[in-house]
Amino acid sequence: MPCNQRTTAAVLAAALFFLPEGHTAPPAPRDGDWPMATLDYANTRYSPLTQVDARNVSSLKVEFTFSTGVARGQEAAPIIVGDTMYIVTPFPNVVYALDLSRPGAPTKWKYESRPRPPAQGVACCDVVNRGVVFWEGRIIFNTLDGRTIALDANDGKRLWETQLADINIGETITMAPMVVKGKVLVGNSGGEFGVRGWLVALDAKTGKTAWKAWSTGPDSDVLIGPAFKPYYASERGKDLGKTTWPPDAWKIGGGTVWGWISYDPKLDLIYYGTGNAGPWNAEQRPGDNKWTAGMFARDPDDGQARWFYQFSPHDLFDYDAINESVLVDLNINGQLRPVIVRPERNGYLYVMDRATGQLLSADAFVPVNAIDRVDLKTGRPHWNTEKQPSSGKVTRQICPAAPGAKDWNPSAWSPQTGLLYVPHNNLCMDWQPNEVNYIAGTPYVGADAVYYAGPGGNRGLFTAWDPVARKAAWQIREDLPVWSGTLTTAGGLVFYGTMDGWFKAVDARSGKLLWQFKTDSGIIGQPVSYRGPDGRQYIAVLSGIGGWPGAVVVNNLDTRDATAAAGWGSALPDLKDRTTAGGTLYVFSLPR
């Protein structure tokens, strides 16, 4: 039975038309544009365009290409507003505006942000950037050395610049910003350097700080006050951001904010996740380590926390919780509920009430043995004691591995099928903690890891997940980890890329491969779709291997060292033979 007959899901994008009076309108460019990396506040990445469909997708051809000139990991989403496409490169974070109204999309302008070179030395997982955002005539983006910059979208002139992160203590910024109610939301990276996570809201017109919420520390720093009403008892109490840590460990405890933000304009709440607790060696930080490896719901006006849920209390295996929260309305047990659907790094796919933080379901979407199950009454996972790590001992066959069942690369939601399309890994690992001391600006990890293929021998999977039936509708085995983002369209298609450079379109209902194209490098970017000035539908994606696993290629690492790239050496000994570094934008269309 088609999922959409029993799932009355409605993407939150529709709710954008019901903003409360007085609220600033979200970026609302023309129909068919792609104004921010997530496409919409609900993080659906669902294009309503239908020209390219299952019947004609096999005719897709390259319309034009553009070299970024940077052969590092290309994780950004191209942004399209009107007749212009905006892309940002990895370090050195050059922004290009391409004129889509002219043949070959020549450059309108470019902006060189000139980040400080030492920033590259404290980027844990390649020098990536996940995209710009368009807001009221501005292009806003982050630089690796910790600045947020706003440009005039018409001519690329700088309007304001704000320094946020400090590379001297290991902070960088790699995330794509989001603008909500006139505030630019930006978080830091650096969880492997003992930094303390935060989310900052900047005035989008001036760049001045409106509020800052830390991920650890006293309630006053975390912006926890009377409005904080977490659903579960384990999240209640005074100053848990201090008391669930050894003395002062919260000051170097991670919880960075380098992933995705969602916004529900009806509830007027933003949602975002916090990264792993630091260091990786959990023996050095007994306790739940609030508020790491979980997610906050906050008021975008003042940043005050409304609720929190911790996916991995006392994180044992670098299970960052920065993945995308997809906001949809689902019929759960006969009741239409506003929910968050979230494929998590710890291997479970969560469905949560986004008004309260109540857990409605949590099901493993890959083979998982690190966590036995998630208790829906307490909200807490049950860690498998047989996989409990300890110093001086190698614990083997832990699933999923530290990069998670799924890392940052975003999934997509189709209201047509009621399915979430999840690009992810199938990896397990051996893990040995060791003692580590904190020195500002240097790695603060404390564990050695070796990754390898999970059950079945394939290292990647692409899964269409039914969150109501709580099971996979279909699944594609991929030899390599799937590290690209996902796009789904009203043409009944799903697009994703592979680390050896194949860009694929599959049928959204069956997973049948309908089209593929070999690009010149591995794909870890985010595909998008847009309507061009000529009224035609286009599909765009950046090709260029890199990121955490792709460091094997871009840094030419010797994979005979199983721990190369913090554990990827053993998992990807063949990657350098299957792709080379690159940095090219590909744009596809149907023949004229």
Side-chain angles (χ1 to χ4, degrees):
M1 180 169 60
C3 294
N4 62 352
Q5 292 181 5
R6 50 190 164 81
T7 304
T8 57
V11 296
L12 188 67
L16 298 179
F17 297 102
F18 302 101
L19 283 171
E21 186 177 357
H23 283 209
T24 302
R30 300 179 307 188
D31 174 45
D33 287 351
W34 196 286
M36 50 183 156
T38 58
L39 175 61
D40 49 39
Y41 283 144
N43 277 234
T44 66
R45 295 174 172 82
Y46 170 75
S47 168
L49 302 181
T50 58
Q51 289 180 8
V52 181
D53 59 27
R55 294 167 301 178
N56 60 29
V57 68
S58 62
S59 299
L60 275 184
K61 304 294 183 186
V62 174
E63 181 73 19
F64 68 89
T65 63
F66 177 79
S67 172
T68 68
V70 181
R72 300 300 294 255
Q74 310 283 332
E75 291 189 350
I79 298 303
I80 299 93
V81 178
D83 62 0
T84 306
M85 174 184 289
Y86 306 91
I87 58 175
V88 60
T89 73
F91 182 95
N93 304 136
V94 179
V95 178
Y96 289 94
L98 306 180
D99 187 349
L100 300 176
S101 68
R102 298 171 62 191
T107 301
K108 275 185 174 180
W109 54 260
K110 72 173 183 179
Y111 179 84
E112 299 185 35
S113 63
R114 303 184 187 282
R116 294 172 60 196
Q120 299 172 92
V122 290
C124 86
C125 313
D126 200 8
V127 293
V128 298
N129 187 298
R130 301 190 179 89
V132 308
V133 62
F134 177 91
W135 181 81
E136 294 191 359
R138 297 164 174 80
I139 290 295
I140 304 171
F141 70 106
N142 299 311
T143 62
L144 191 69
D145 66 349
R147 290 171 291 153
T148 300
I149 299 174
L151 307 176
D152 187 313
N154 291 318
D155 55 22
K157 291 182 179 177
R158 189 179 64 185
L159 300 174
W160 55 259
E161 174 180 316
T162 302
Q163 182 74 49
L164 292 174
D166 181 1
I167 63 172
N168 293 315
I169 61 170
E171 287 183 319
T172 55
I173 301 181
T174 58
M175 56 104 69
M178 177 176 277
V179 182
V180 173
K181 300 175 72 175
K183 294 183 175 61
V184 187
L185 302 172
V186 180
N188 63 343
S189 300
E192 279 63 52
F193 287 78
V195 310
R196 184 184 173 202
W198 45 256
L199 180 74
V200 165
L202 303 174
D203 186 313
K205 293 183 178 177
T206 66
K208 293 182 178 177
T209 299
W211 52 260
K212 182 175 187 176
W214 295 92
S215 300
T216 63
D219 288 353
S220 56
D221 286 4
V222 186
L223 302 188
I224 287 178
F228 187 58
K229 307 289 183 185
Y231 190 85
Y232 295 102
S234 58
E235 321 292 6
R236 302 174 197 148
K238 184 174 175 54
D239 292 331
L240 296 183
K242 286 180 61 178
T243 60
T244 59
W245 295 83
D248 290 338
W250 54 272
K251 296 178 180 177
I252 52 175
T256 50
V257 184
W258 56 277
W260 302 109
I261 300 168
S262 304
Y263 173 56
D264 181 336
K266 275 189 162 180
L267 293 171
D268 197 20
L269 292 176
I270 59 169
Y271 307 91
Y272 69 93
T274 57
N276 60 284
W280 285 8
N281 183 354
E283 291 180 325
Q284 293 186 224
R285 45 176 174 77
D288 270 0
N289 308 140
K290 306 288 185 194
W291 308 90
T292 64
M295 69 176 296
F296 277 108
R298 291 187 184 274
D299 185 325
D301 290 323
D302 56 14
Q304 287 292 311
R306 295 292 186 84
W307 57 259
F308 179 87
Y309 175 79
Q310 194 168 31
F311 297 99
S312 299
H314 188 58
D315 173 27
L316 295 178
F317 302 119
D318 185 34
Y319 288 160
D320 287 69
I322 55 75
N323 288 358
E324 68 283 2
S325 294
V326 182
L327 311 187
V328 297
D329 294 343
L330 291 183
N331 194 328
I332 305 290
N333 298 325
Q335 181 182 1
L336 190 65
R337 301 188 67 159
V339 303
I340 292 169
V341 180
R342 187 179 164 101
E344 192 52 48
R345 194 149 153 172
N346 66 14
Y348 282 80
L349 196 143
Y350 293 78
V351 177
M352 309 169 66
D353 188 306
R354 65 175 178 268
T356 65
Q358 179 189 5
L359 195 56
L360 303 177
S361 64
D363 303 286
F365 64 100
V366 294
V368 177
N369 61 22
I371 294 173
D372 291 326
R373 62 186 177 86
V374 178
D375 188 324
L376 297 185
K377 291 185 178 178
T378 65
R380 294 180 68 85
H382 284 226
W383 294 102
N384 180 354
T385 56
E386 294 182 0
K387 302 300 179 183
Q388 189 82 20
S390 61
S391 293
K393 171 188 172 187
V394 179
T395 303
R396 303 190 186 281
Q397 291 285 340
I398 301 167
C399 310
K406 178 188 164 298
D407 207 277
W408 71 274
N409 44 317
S411 50
W413 168 266
S414 171
Q416 287 185 335
T417 63
L419 299 177
L420 185 74
Y421 301 96
V422 187
H424 62 101
N425 308 319
N426 178 41
L427 298 171
C428 301
M429 69 176 176
D430 298 340
W431 179 271
Q432 181 176 3
N434 48 64
E435 186 174 350
V436 62
N437 296 314
Y438 173 76
I439 302 174
T442 65
Y444 183 57
V445 178
D448 292 324
V450 174
Y451 316 138
Y452 40 81
N458 52 304
R459 292 164 284 186
L461 288 164
F462 190 84
T463 298
W465 185 268
D466 184 334
V468 175
R470 301 173 60 179
K471 63 181 183 180
W474 50 260
Q475 195 169 63
I476 299 170
R477 290 164 55 107
E478 290 284 358
D479 181 29
L480 295 168
V482 184
W483 208 263
S484 83
T486 306
L487 161 71
T488 184
T489 75
L493 301 171
V494 183
F495 293 85
Y496 71 97
T498 66
M499 292 182 67
D500 56 354
W502 286 103
F503 188 44
K504 300 184 177 184
V506 302
D507 187 293
R509 295 192 183 280
S510 68
K512 179 183 178 182
L513 179 65
L514 299 175
W515 170 85
Q516 61 180 341
F517 179 89
K518 187 70 161 60
T519 67
D520 65 359
S521 183
I523 298 175
I524 60 169
Q526 304 167 57
V528 305
S529 184
Y530 66 95
R531 178 182 291 114
D534 58 1
R536 301 166 65 213
Q537 182 181 0
Y538 295 86
I539 312 293
V541 69
L542 281 158
S543 168
I545 194 66
W548 187 7
V552 167
V553 176
V554 296
N555 293 326
N556 192 27
L557 301 179
D558 186 346
T559 56
R560 289 175 297 181
D561 175 5
T563 64
W568 284 102
S570 57
L572 298 172
D574 53 342
L575 189 59
K576 288 194 289 187
D577 296 328
R578 297 176 63 169
T579 192
T580 56
T584 304
L585 168 74
Y586 287 84
V587 178
F588 302 90
S589 65
L590 295 172
R592 294 177 184 273

